[in-house]
Amino acid sequence: MYQRYFDLADAPFSIAPDPRYLFLSDKHREALAHLLYGVGDQGGFVLLTGEVGTGKTTLCRSLLQQIPEQTDVAYIINPRQSINQLLQSICDELHIEYQSGRTSRDLVDDLNAFLLRAHAAGRNTLLIIDEAQNLQVDVLEQLRLLTNLETNEKKLLQLVLLGQPELSELLAKPQLRQLAQRVTARFHLGPLDRAEVGQYIAHRLSVAGCAKTLFSEAAVTAVYRSSRGIPRLVNQLCDRSLLGVYATNGDTVTRAIAKTSSREVLLQGAASPRWRPVYVALVVSVVVLLLSFWWRSTQPTVSIDGDGSVSVFNGVSDGEQRGDQVSAPSTNSVSGWRLQCAAAVVLTIAVNRTGTAARRV
């Protein structure tokens, strides 16, 4: 919608994993280097983990553009399957013909025969599994067995596992220690920092054909804080911010527009209305006051007689006249009451200021 307004060739902040828009930060460049190293001639397992939206799939698409032409690739995007179903998916990706009703062992034999033919023809075979944290333990063990087919120089199947941090926890299980030992390269992809978010936004705008600055520094900071450096969230916030500028006939994304986009995209503040801090403060104050009344009712009542002696009575009931004679008046009850009132006032002010500060962030 706003592409013509900003003279852009296409949408710069699409969440599609387009390798043209891949921003190689230091951590993304290192992750790609690990992938390229892992799919080299030595074979084995390559492990790439990262939080949702950090760019694992986009990196993988970039990897596919750089692998040799003599490589056959099977790309599995839905690994939540049984062993037999996964083997069928791999055979389908590699165009291996098989008859319906084949058992898992039959499919493994078909796949092994394909790998031997590919090796004899000078071709490599690469299996990439996205969202690999969804793989079952028995399926992972079957994948390990697939990599057992090898020559004296190399393994005939190279495997890349992409997944969220839970994948590393899965591979740390004792029953998968044999698979974990075969990982030849691993890398965890973290979020971008503040400087990288600014470079990321400028890079994507440049690829889309924009030669001018559309985001103020304050807006970039707001986007970074709301997205926590997750590229997918950065894309969503920037896309909504440019739409906001277009709707107001502006020319630059300001901090206010970026924060408004954050509230709309991330639903920030929907569960925390403005009156909630005041409401909490009132409830806390009432509770403190009730506790102070109860505390006073448990304190001794002091009575000064005409001769100057002081009688202390426990409780406030009119019928209770039991007490001990003391030589000096007690002021604990009055002091305690004043302290409780002061604490209630201070607590109310503190809660209100905390709520105000939280709304400003």
Side-chain angles (χ1 to χ4, degrees):
M1 181 181 297
Y2 56 76
Q3 296 176 29
R4 183 176 300 179
Y5 182 80
F6 291 108
D7 195 24
L8 300 173
D10 49 21
F13 296 108
S14 170
I15 60 174
D18 189 345
R20 294 184 303 124
Y21 284 92
L22 175 62
F23 170 68
L24 288 177
S25 67
D26 291 341
K27 52 182 70 71
H28 284 78
R29 185 177 290 105
E30 186 175 355
L32 183 57
H34 277 74
L35 291 176
L36 291 171
Y37 169 79
V39 299
D41 292 337
Q42 69 275 6
F45 284 81
V46 181
L47 181 64
L48 176 61
T49 59
E51 290 292 346
V52 177
T54 50
K56 301 182 296 295
T57 302
T58 305
L59 271 175
C60 186
R61 297 291 177 86
S62 178
L63 170 69
L64 292 176
Q65 292 183 340
Q66 302 182 45
I67 59 177
E69 293 183 0
Q70 65 273 17
T71 302
D72 298 311
V73 179
Y75 194 174
I76 307 298
I77 61 176
N78 180 26
R80 196 182 290 273
Q81 306 178 50
S82 66
I83 295 177
N84 190 272
Q85 291 171 334
L86 183 61
L87 290 172
Q88 291 182 35
S89 298
I90 295 173
C91 290
D92 291 338
E93 288 286 315
L94 296 174
H95 307 291
I96 301 174
E97 296 183 0
Y98 59 92
Q99 296 179 353
S100 177
R102 299 277 281 176
T103 65
S104 297
R105 181 171 182 176
D106 294 334
L107 292 171
V108 170
D109 291 339
D110 294 340
L111 182 56
N112 286 340
F114 171 84
L115 293 175
L116 289 172
R117 292 195 303 269
H119 175 68
R123 301 189 63 83
N124 299 322
T125 304
L126 174 63
L127 172 59
I128 301 175
I129 300 181
D130 207 347
E131 302 294 339
Q133 76 278 354
N134 294 322
L135 289 169
Q136 301 298 321
V137 173
D138 57 342
V139 177
L140 282 167
E141 178 61 18
Q142 180 62 62
L143 291 175
R144 182 189 69 83
L145 295 176
L146 288 179
T147 62
N148 282 341
L149 191 61
E150 58 189 359
T151 66
N152 291 333
E153 295 83 16
K154 60 176 292 186
K155 292 185 177 297
L156 300 187
L157 179 65
Q158 300 161 313
L159 181 61
V160 175
L161 299 179
L162 309 175
Q164 298 170 23
E166 292 80 3
L167 177 58
S168 296
E169 300 174 4
L170 180 61
L171 295 181
K173 293 185 175 181
Q175 58 266 42
L176 292 176
R177 62 184 182 278
Q178 287 183 300
L179 187 151
Q181 291 175 0
R182 296 192 181 185
V183 175
T184 57
R186 66 177 70 205
F187 189 83
H188 180 76
L189 190 60
L192 304 174
D193 59 29
R194 164 60 180 82
E196 289 171 336
V197 167
Q199 297 167 7
Y200 176 86
I201 294 174
H203 168 76
R204 295 188 72 98
L205 287 172
S206 176
V207 173
C210 180
K212 58 182 179 180
T213 302
L214 296 182
F215 287 77
S216 67
E217 288 298 318
V220 172
T221 300
V223 169
Y224 166 69
R225 290 177 176 174
S226 298
S227 66
R228 304 181 304 280
I230 304 297
R232 183 180 298 167
L233 294 181
V234 173
N235 286 353
Q236 294 175 340
L237 295 176
C238 289
D239 179 74
R240 184 60 186 83
S241 296
L242 290 179
L243 183 61
V245 174
Y246 166 76
T248 57
N249 292 323
D251 55 5
T252 304
V253 177
T254 62
R255 178 178 180 272
I257 292 177
K259 290 182 70 65
T260 299
S261 300
S262 299
R263 288 193 294 269
E264 294 175 351
V265 173
L266 306 178
L267 300 180
Q268 291 180 347
S272 301
R274 293 179 179 273
W275 46 265
R276 179 161 295 182
V278 177
Y279 173 77
V280 173
L282 289 176
V283 172
V284 171
S285 299
V286 170
V287 171
V288 171
L289 290 175
L290 290 176
L291 289 175
S292 69
F293 276 117
W294 172 83
W295 182 82
R296 287 188 65 205
S297 69
T298 62
Q299 300 303 305
T301 301
V302 180
S303 176
I304 302 177
D305 297 332
D307 58 358
S309 64
V310 179
S311 298
V312 181
F313 302 96
N314 294 322
V316 294
S317 299
D318 294 338
E320 293 180 351
Q321 295 298 325
R322 296 184 302 273
D324 299 325
Q325 298 296 321
V326 296
S327 59
S330 173
T331 60
N332 288 341
S333 178
V334 178
S335 300
W337 166 249
R338 290 176 179 174
L339 287 174
Q340 294 293 333
C341 290
V345 173
V346 171
L347 187 59
T348 301
I349 296 174
V351 172
N352 276 305
R353 288 188 175 181
T354 302
T356 302
R359 292 195 300 269
R360 289 178 178 175
V361 174

